[in-house]
Amino acid sequence: MEITKFNHSCIRVSSGGRSLVIDPGTFSPLELALQGAEAILATHVHADHLDLDAVVAAMGREKQLAFHGPAALAASLLAAATEAGVADAAARIHGTGPGEHFEAAGMEISTHGGMHAVIHHSLPVVANIGYFVDRTLYHPGDSYQVPEGIEVETLLVPAHAPWAKIGETIEFLSMVNAADNIPIHDGLLNARGLSLVDGHLGRVAAEHGLGYRRIPNGTPVVLGER
């Protein structure tokens, strides 16, 4: 399996010559990220995880491109895609919830979690789906919910967010206990912030005998090679 990070939380996953994209949001170069992809997996509705207009445009260009995401988000995308005249939109857009299993771009997917992390009690809590890809890679979206019933080899760790606290991020990394940990959700950090987060997470990963590495944007990385 090979992954490419396209800024912030957008990850392209490739295996056997086929690709899917997780969380194509507004912080990322989506025309490049989505080119030739067969599926999109969206964790939740927030724009930094899903650029609705860009996804509608991509589904118009890429006739094989399917979408999987929380039910309410899938319904919103279907309405927008139908209005834009996207062919076969109803057959290509799928609502998902936790505890499901399906195939996307030839890869086995299971869904976990259920709710976005709380930002503040005055703000609504939205649905959030974590995706486990080919029994290897876990993308949690915006959540510290530890997935049950799976053994994660590579964890994509949310490094920074309005809802995040570094102590809770450390606990999440420790509890999932993945051999390889790669930070994501860092699009609001400058070089100093990235260094601080990497220092804390890298230290704790090493204390637990786990790997931690930052991967460059736009460069494919083969999982299992550290």
Side-chain angles (χ1 to χ4, degrees):
M1 179 184 291
E2 180 180 272
I3 67 170
T4 307
K5 182 182 177 185
F6 286 98
N7 303 340
H8 198 53
S9 198
C10 179
I11 301 291
R12 183 178 175 112
V13 185
S14 300
S15 179
R18 304 173 70 179
S19 297
L20 60 81
V21 175
I22 308 174
D23 278 2
T26 55
F27 292 180
S28 303
L30 297 187
E31 191 165 338
L32 178 61
L34 293 170
Q35 185 176 10
E38 294 182 40
I40 292 170
L41 309 180
T43 62
H44 64 285
V45 68
H46 292 156
D48 60 323
H49 293 258
L50 186 77
D51 184 332
L52 191 69
D53 291 339
V55 168
V56 169
M59 294 189 76
R61 293 191 309 269
E62 307 281 351
K63 305 304 181 185
Q64 82 289 354
L65 184 59
F67 174 89
H68 302 265
L73 178 54
S76 296
L77 178 62
L78 177 58
T82 301
E83 183 177 352
V86 173
D88 301 321
R92 295 161 59 192
I93 297 173
H94 310 281
T96 64
E100 296 185 10
H101 297 263
F102 57 90
E103 184 179 291
M107 293 174 244
E108 179 184 341
I109 311 296
S110 63
T111 58
H112 303 267
M115 300 305 293
H116 191 286
V118 174
I119 300 172
H120 187 263
H121 64 79
S122 65
L123 298 173
V125 179
V126 300
N128 180 93
I129 302 298
Y131 295 99
F132 189 43
V133 183
D134 258 1
R135 303 184 183 184
T136 299
L137 175 74
Y138 187 64
H139 191 310
D142 282 8
S143 174
Y144 289 136
Q145 289 180 267
V146 176
E148 297 182 354
I150 61 175
E151 185 172 334
V152 178
E153 292 182 17
T154 299
L155 174 66
L156 301 175
V157 186
H160 174 263
W163 51 268
K165 181 179 178 181
I166 189 64
E168 294 177 347
T169 306
I170 288 170
E171 287 299 310
F172 179 65
L173 182 153
S174 302
M175 291 177 69
V176 176
N177 198 42
D180 192 17
N181 295 274
I182 296 172
I184 60 168
H185 211 282
D186 49 16
L188 297 178
L189 292 177
N190 60 19
R192 290 185 181 132
L194 293 172
S195 177
L196 185 147
V197 166
D198 287 346
H200 282 302
L201 297 180
R203 171 183 55 81
V204 172
E207 289 174 355
H208 288 76
L210 308 174
Y212 179 85
R213 55 175 171 158
R214 176 168 297 283
I215 63 174
N217 286 313
T219 301
V221 172
V222 177
L223 297 186
E225 294 183 357
R226 290 192 277 159

